[in-house]
Amino acid sequence: MKKKAMVIASAFLGLLTLAAFPQPASAAKKKGTIKVASRTTVRDKKGNSLEKYRGKSADQLFDEKAKTVNYYGIHYVKETRKRIRAYYYIGHGGYVPADSVILINGKPAIALNSNSYVYNSKLKRTGKKYKVYQPLIYAGKVKYSSKKGKKDKWSYYSGNTKKPYAIPKVYKKKYLKIGKNRYIKAVNVFSIRREKLHVKGPITATVKKNMYSFDSRLYETNHLYKKGQKVKLDKCISAGNGDNILFYYRVAKTHEYLLYGDTDYWAETYYESTYSHDNLKIKQHMDAGDFLPGKTEYAVAKDRKAKKLQTYDMTGTAIKGKKILNLFVHVDGQAYLLNPQTKKIELFYHLQDQHLIDEFFWFETQADDEDFKATDQYNGFLKASEFKKAKLPTIISKKAAKTSDQPASASQLAALKKEIAKAEAVQKKTIYKLSSSYRRDYLDYALSNAQKALSGNKGEITFAKWLLTNSETYLNGKKAPVTNINKLSKAEYERVWRIVSDATPPGRLLQAGRWHLAQKIQLHLEQQNLQIRLCQQDDQREEILEDQRLREEQQVIVYR
């Protein structure tokens, strides 16, 4: 009897082994087909990337194009205590993440952003509940359009340039169909066909760490949002381009923005979107609009084949050897300029200072050589006729341009002197002292230029006054209040160092994997003004670990 029991137990263990380890593709039963996104690496049963799959590199199977393959089952891997990920078994010991799948049996794949109950057509729960990591099929209809309508709350990218919006049919305003008489809430869907399902908004997000908000100019405020706090958001903007882009969400019914992150916004899976950054937890994103610093516009060259664009000075004369490489440039004002020799008046766009652009678009090179300094760009103009029309504030009107070469009037000189006095007073204030070095440089140059322009003509006086006023609008220095000067919180500490890095001139603050700082740093407020001081650490202390520094530092001295 014991021997018989041992045989049965042995057979039972054998069945468990077969169940635990997938059979080869030749023996396993085909479950269906999946279309897998390009650049998906084949993995092992634990979710680790394979080096080789069926004799070839495991990252080459889905390298350039999405590919349809057979699958033989779904495998779940518990990566952490709270995180489980699903994988499709494609045979021969290979697995692909379920969130890399575009189509399941030829139908759109759905990826969830939270656990989701299933409802019937009467909106009653059926008792079935899908976990966030379980893949589903979208069984509803889709409308393709060149633009979204007012009633279209959800959409995703269709892949069609003429009709980019794929708008899923929503049942009873809230639900998406996943089968016959089976629906799930649309708000619980992260993506369809591996394209993020964007929502019209507003949306609710959770703050993942203590963080300060930004104002409408994206200058940091003193308003601290705390970890775990729920916030309603009603707008998304992007600052920058390419891999150096940043995304911000506006807090509903305010002028405050919270930083979401960088390219994580484009994450194609909820897994990446949730775990790749530490700022905001967002279930569904909103479409992002462009942010341009100041009263700036993109000016696009009419001739896309032009390799360089000529710049001009205040008289409309070409600046020798100074050309712009980028056909998409930032301009912040328009001026009619009178050429004193030809007496011809022509419309020009004022080129925004490259360093001010750098804070949001730092990878863009406006100039074609290192000698094209900020001082050239402060006075640099581009011919409006070479660009598509831009809507900009007027620096010098067409009427004023006719007499711009004449001596300035007493009232013009008085107005400029008033602006000069105002700027000199601003230089003594916190808003100037704690602004980034480039912003201070802009005001310094504008002030120097205005003082020289006092002996100039009407046109030079007008431009100098505008430049000085414009430079003041970019100042963003602000005190950093702290709760306990001897025990800074992480958010306060990070903010102090953002002020340090912004306010310190280039080359003074070194970075090589970590800040080269003094062993002890102090923060103090003198006469209610935050001052910044940087003490460079000698080479012998370069290897001090950041976490050790954070424990030992109790005070920070900051100066510009």
Side-chain angles (χ1 to χ4, degrees), residues 206-243:
T206 304
V207 178
K208 296 177 69 176
K209 70 173 185 179
N210 291 349
M211 59 191 296
Y212 290 96
S213 65
F214 297 80
D215 63 21
S216 58
R217 298 178 298 171
L218 298 189
Y219 296 170
E220 197 170 38
T221 73
N222 291 332
H223 189 179
L224 180 68
Y225 285 78
K226 295 186 177 181
K227 181 179 179 180
Q229 186 175 344
K230 301 283 186 181
V231 288
K232 188 175 258 190
L233 311 170
D234 63 4
K235 184 180 180 180
C236 181
I237 58 172
S238 61
N241 282 318
D243 292 336

Side-chain angles (χ1 to χ4, degrees), residues 3 29 50 57 80 103 170 207 228 270 273 298 328 354 363 369 420 425 487 501 518 528 551:
K3 189 174 182 180
K29 186 178 179 181
L50 292 172
S57 176
T80 66
L103 301 177
V170 182
V207 178
Y270 183 65
S273 176
Y298 265 131
F328 299 84
Q354 179 178 334
F363 67 98
D369 57 59
I420 289 173
K487 192 176 182 181
S501 59
Q528 298 181 343
R551 288 196 304 270

Side-chain angles (χ1 to χ4, degrees), residues 21-75:
F21 296 94
Q23 302 171 58
S26 57
K29 186 178 179 181
K30 175 184 171 182
K31 299 289 185 181
T33 62
I34 52 173
K35 187 174 184 179
V36 184
S38 61
R39 298 182 182 178
T40 298
T41 300
V42 181
R43 301 166 186 262
D44 63 19
K45 66 172 298 182
K46 293 183 179 180
N48 300 316
S49 299
L50 292 172
E51 290 186 9
K52 296 285 184 179
Y53 177 70
R54 302 188 70 177
K56 297 181 180 179
S57 176
D59 60 1
Q60 295 296 315
L61 181 62
F62 307 102
D63 183 31
E64 296 180 359
K65 293 182 179 180
K67 188 180 294 185
T68 300
V69 295
N70 295 331
Y71 78 93
Y72 304 91
I74 300 178
H75 180 65

